[in-house]
Amino acid sequence: MTPALEPLRRIAAYAICRNSSDEVLLVRASPRSGTPGAWSLPGGAVDHGENPNDTVVRETAAETGLSVAVAELVDVHADMRSLPNRGVTIHTDRLIYRVTVRGGGLIDRVGQPTDLARWVNLAEAATLPLRPFTAAALGLPTASVDLRPDEPPEFPSFYAYPGPDGLHRAQRFAAYAVASDTDGRILLTRIAEGYPGAGRWHLPGGGTDYGEQPGNALIRELAEETGQQGRLVELLGVASHRDAASLGPEGYPIDWHGVRAFYRVEVDPAGVPKVHDIGGSTCEARWFDRSELTELELTEVTTEALAAARAGV
């Protein structure tokens, strides 16, 4: 049994970068890190209010000396690991991007969380102690260099903490569905009074629980908010929005940063939507013909996700 550790959550972004020889860029964790000697994709934590696209560029430059450009989002994955020497268990929502090199040269670092950056072919990478998320992203056998907790610890779905300016801050990862039925209708939910964006139409979905994968969270939220059962089809993208003084049921302003993965979901058979999570942020759910969407007041992430879904058709 792992000891009782303080639970933490974070969002991070990582780069899959290959050169002309089809070698992949990896970095080694230094003795300052939680897993010394382990190798992983370059990347790191998303700062409050930062777009994950910017995070992966910034972190790759800092850890490797290379300037990169984001090509596409590849995957979103969540995992937990325990660090008994630090007294914490961390849930990380990891955004994996494919990137290309614009310039720069590899550097080694002293006294930093990563100390080496190298181009490695896949055969060599398979012999290294890889972080599990890195092995999975490269299609290699999953390593076991991370210590996992026996079960997810208790952690609130919403957590705000005092920021350096005295205003409370909250960074939340969520998963949402662009859900359609066999007739091409789109399923939307309406935000309840007392919540940011009240009255606007929104995608079904919500915040992921500690230890929960985004896809599993999405299917759960879809059933709770609309009574529909869906099938995950594809990851469409990630939206990052910050509201520097969001006001919700807490009754005080919060510097809010939401990072939201959105997926294409098919619902078959489609039923009459019914909100099961009574008293929450959703007050209504309805199917809409696509021609009706232009008449609705939509949330920002809904507009962005619908545009991505149309582009992917």
Side-chain angles (χ1 to χ4, degrees), residues 22-306:
D22 203 31
E23 295 171 317
V24 67
L25 183 62
L26 297 177
V27 294
R28 188 182 69 179
S30 76
R32 283 193 53 188
S33 76
T35 49
W39 291 79
S40 73
L41 300 173
V46 176
D47 289 341
H48 186 83
E50 184 178 35
N51 190 301
N53 284 39
D54 298 329
T55 303
V56 74
V57 172
R58 172 179 57 78
E59 285 283 345
T60 301
E63 293 185 344
T64 72
L66 298 177
S67 174
V68 299
V70 173
E72 62 176 332
L73 178 69
V74 176
D75 196 13
V76 179
H77 174 78
D79 59 52
M80 293 184 296
R81 64 171 174 152
S82 295
L83 302 174
N85 59 322
R86 297 184 181 179
V88 298
T89 288
I90 304 175
H91 167 116
T92 305
D93 295 292
R94 304 184 192 275
L95 313 178
I96 312 297
Y97 293 87
R98 184 170 290 110
V99 306
T100 58
V101 175
R102 297 188 297 182
L106 290 186
I107 59 171
D108 295 337
R109 307 199 301 169
V110 177
Q112 299 297 319
T114 61
D115 56 9
L116 292 181
R118 295 289 185 269
W119 292 106
V120 179
N121 63 49
L122 285 184
E124 183 182 356
T127 69
L128 297 174
L130 299 175
R131 296 289 308 283
F133 79 91
T134 297
L138 298 179
L140 297 173
T142 302
S144 57
V145 296
D146 287 352
L147 175 64
R148 288 180 52 84
D150 300 299
E151 58 184 44
E154 291 292 328
F155 194 83
S157 61
F158 171 80
Y159 179 70
Y161 61 94
D165 54 5
L167 189 67
H168 277 74
R169 286 183 167 185
Q171 187 182 60
R172 192 185 194 198
F173 186 84
Y176 289 93
V178 179
S180 61
D181 65 4
T182 54
D183 293 325
R185 295 183 301 170
I186 300 295
L187 182 61
L188 296 178
T189 60
R190 188 170 235 166
I191 300 175
E193 288 297 324
Y195 289 86
R200 292 187 175 187
W201 290 95
H202 195 37
L203 299 174
T208 63
D209 290 339
Y210 201 103
E212 189 175 34
Q213 292 295 335
N216 295 339
L218 176 55
I219 298 304
R220 171 181 57 77
E221 288 278 349
L222 183 68
E224 291 174 2
E225 293 186 344
T226 72
Q228 307 298 294
Q229 300 297 320
R231 179 176 67 87
L232 228 58
V233 177
E234 63 175 326
L235 174 65
L236 292 169
V238 168
S240 175
H241 299 125
R242 181 184 184 184
D243 184 341
S246 176
L247 192 61
E250 300 78 23
Y252 54 87
I254 295 174
D255 183 351
W256 176 272
H257 179 208
V259 177
R260 304 169 173 110
F262 43 91
Y263 296 78
R264 190 189 306 277
V265 171
E266 291 181 352
V267 178
D268 183 20
V272 177
K274 181 179 180 181
V275 179
H276 292 284
D277 187 16
I278 305 300
S281 60
T282 298
C283 64
E284 184 181 359
R286 282 178 54 190
W287 288 105
F288 290 95
D289 291 328
R290 292 176 186 267
S291 60
E292 298 177 280
L293 299 179
T294 56
E295 306 299 321
L296 302 177
E297 188 176 7
L298 304 174
T299 61
E300 187 176 11
V301 66
T302 301
T303 300
E304 188 172 334
L306 289 174

